[in-house]
Amino acid sequence: MTTPAETSADDMQPAPWWSEAVFYQIYPRSFADANGDGVGDLRGVQEKLGYLELLGVDALWLSPVMRSPMADHGYDVSDPRDIDPLFGDVDAMDDLIEAAHARQIKVTMDLVPNHTSIEHEWFRAALQASPDSPERDRYIFRDGRGPDGSEPPNNWPSIFGGPAWTRITEPDGRPGQWYLHLFAAEQPDLNWNNPEVFEDLEKTLRFWLDRGVDGFRIDVAHGMAKPEGLPDHDWDTNALLQNADDDPRFNHPSVHDIHRGIRKILNEYPGAMAVGEIWVRDNVRFGEYIRPDELNLGFNFRLAEAEFSAESVREAIENSLAAVEQVGATPTWTLSNHDVDREVTRYGGGVIGLARARAMALVELALPGTTFIYNGAELGLPNVDLPDDALQDPVWERSGHTERGRDGCRVPLPWEGVEPPFGFTTGASTWLPMPEDWSSLTAEAQLEDVTSTLSLYRAALELRELRPEFSGPGVDWYGSPPGCFAFRRGGGLICALNATDAPISLPPGEVLLSSAPLVDGQLPPNAAAWLI
């Protein structure tokens, strides 16, 4: 757990609990299955709280568990104030919050304000209503272009591939208007110019906060607001699952009014927080989301995007620190999540990829601010190359089977045993197939091995919690050999990275922890170390 809250030199007020916290992202369908149906659930999460306490995390971030037809695995929400039966019910969520709090672990959950499911009661009502009706105005419906309205209202593509518009059939059977969906067709975008939309979000926020939830991760926090007139755009550089800073679908200035409204509600609940998913490259514009009256935290993905080289990683760190410094906000760090290839695979796979992932774990956990660990990173899991017929990500279908999507980083976690399902479920199969060769990667096997990746994470999190050297904002850089770097925290911690193919000498100091055994006192290739 985190140490007692530090005191800010600026205002002498205790720093908020999340400012140095380690969050653990749980992708619920892949974490632990308590009822044997092959899909993870909330009771499964509760049963593993002892493991999470042993690991040493401060807070959980639950990917979506709200009621959903699962067209996008929960990011298409049909009722934001209920739990989907796939994961349990509201009572199971209440029990999880209570049990986690008893272990001093906070609980945050995903919030999806940009869009709903097509099965949401509002969208069903919109389909039965007439154009220009109040029901349609909760979403973004438009007449089509062309003499018969058969062309989409503009040329926007979906993030998942294909057009961002779908035409409906009117109640009288005629071809009708089109609705906007920046993601899958099953995820219609809400109209945030309609005050009913925020009023409903407020009900959702208070519903969960009143039940003890400690905060929210806001999906597509740079979305929601749309430009007047929905203008066409030049999409020559468009790519699936990405957006540039000039993309009219995202980052409209009026989105900040929405975040100010959310923050006002959170401020009524002591300790409540929100972290936004913000895919904005420009640091000034990124910083606008984490001003004192908006989001508490913003995901900065530069570290997850950096290749394994000292130059790229240092640039990502410096850029991320600069992005928050201008507004006095807290930096955030993550190496992977449910949308990003696992670090072992990104860094080359196999023995080299694992060594680099272990090194980057120490780099990440040495940095000031808030850290997010994706479930399974602590086990050193790689992406899984799944067969075509196992893929479930909507990107696979919408791209015409040209993009395999994100399923490879969402395979269920191995807990124990020597063959699938490795204790994930008592059932015969899992929602995504597990590799046969993961027996050495199970939590059980790694807990018994002091050299394992899990043991490395446990040792690192314990040191981060207990040692006073892990303090102070910003970092100071040492002069280092080419292909390497070293930085120092204000409290005295030194972190060194060797991204070369030869051992290097370490800076002076006592070694607290290294991602690989030292070689004659030197740091081996693809390794990192902590010193004081």
Side-chain angles (χ1 to χ4, degrees), residues 285-355:
R285 299 174 78 182
F286 178 90
E288 292 172 348
Y289 287 85
I290 46 178
R291 291 175 288 197
D293 61 344
E294 295 194 39
L295 291 162
N296 304 96
L297 297 170
F299 273 116
N300 189 313
F301 298 101
R302 291 184 185 270
L303 199 61
E305 294 173 325
E307 65 180 23
F308 186 79
S309 73
E311 295 76 16
S312 293
V313 174
R314 176 171 175 168
E315 181 182 1
I317 292 170
E318 291 179 325
N319 194 293
S320 300
L321 291 173
V324 298
E325 184 178 12
Q326 61 184 331
V327 288
T330 300
T332 64
W333 312 100
T334 190
L335 294 174
S336 56
N337 64 30
H338 63 291
D339 290 332
V340 178
D341 284 348
R342 290 192 176 277
E343 45 266 59
V344 170
T345 298
R346 289 204 321 275
Y347 297 147
V351 173
I352 289 179
L354 178 60

Side-chain angles (χ1 to χ4, degrees), residues 20 26 31 34 36 107 145 190 199 243 322 513:
E20 289 282 346
I26 289 178
F31 187 66
V107 179
R145 295 197 285 199
L190 288 161
E199 290 168 6
N243 63 274
L513 186 65

